[in-house]
Amino acid sequence: AGAAAAEAAAAKAAAAAAELKAVTMARVAAVEAKARESTSVAGKAIRGGVAKLLADLELTQYADAFANAGYDDDRLREIADVVDEDRDGEGTGLIDTLIEETGLKGGSAVKLRRRLLEPAKAGSRGTDGGSTNGSGKSGGKGRGGGSNNSADATAKQQPGAKSKAVAKSKNK
């Protein structure tokens, strides 16, 4: 009887472990999907679906063309997933087909192509360098070019001369 009880306990522990593993794997998959969505073309370009994509690109006049050609949110996600897997090959081909089937022309086609083919940004903040402590891209090393104001240039060239801005502030 003791062996049967131990075997039952072991089976129960194995079932609990299998259930825990399944829950953990589901959570991992969800986290990976969320990360992929936030960094991939599929995630960034089509978040919100066709309507939001067209609104963001100021192409809402093509909403009916997308619907008539069968490009709904699910189909757009499928295309974006392919772009993430094979940007230069099949992904580009699918985008070219989408553009042709929806009748996008000129700049409208360029906008859509750029949005769907743009590579994911390397940094999560989407900035041009800099840091969180406010030191900026060049670390506060005074690399500015100065003013393009001709009065300021005159003041720099002639030691006794004052710029118009300085003269105005002293006249107040």
Side-chain angles (χ1 to χ4, degrees), residues 86-107:
D86 183 14
R87 181 180 321 264
D88 297 325
E90 187 180 359
T92 299
L94 288 175
I95 291 173
D96 289 342
T97 301
L98 178 152
I99 288 169
E100 184 180 316
E101 290 179 354
T102 55
L104 278 106
K105 302 284 185 219

Side-chain angles (χ1 to χ4, degrees), residues 140-158:
K141 293 185 175 55
R143 297 188 182 165
S147 171
N148 287 334
N149 185 330
S150 62
D152 287 344
T154 303
K156 288 177 187 172
Q157 292 171 354
Q158 299 173 358

Side-chain angles (χ1 to χ4, degrees), residues 7 18 22-23 31 52 54 78 82-83 103 111 113-114 116 129 138-139 143 145-146 149 151 171:
E7 202 173 293
V23 168
V31 168
K52 184 168 183 341
L54 294 177
E78 290 170 9
V82 171
V83 168
K111 278 194 216 180
R113 182 177 286 112
R114 279 187 184 155
L116 294 178
S138 60
R143 297 188 182 165
N149 185 330
N171 288 337

Side-chain angles (χ1 to χ4, degrees), residues 36-47 115 118 120-121 123:
R36 191 170 42 253
E37 184 174 308
S38 68
T39 60
S40 69
V41 171
K44 288 184 176 188
I46 64 168
R47 188 173 297 125
R115 174 66 61 93
E118 71 184 6
K121 302 285 187 258

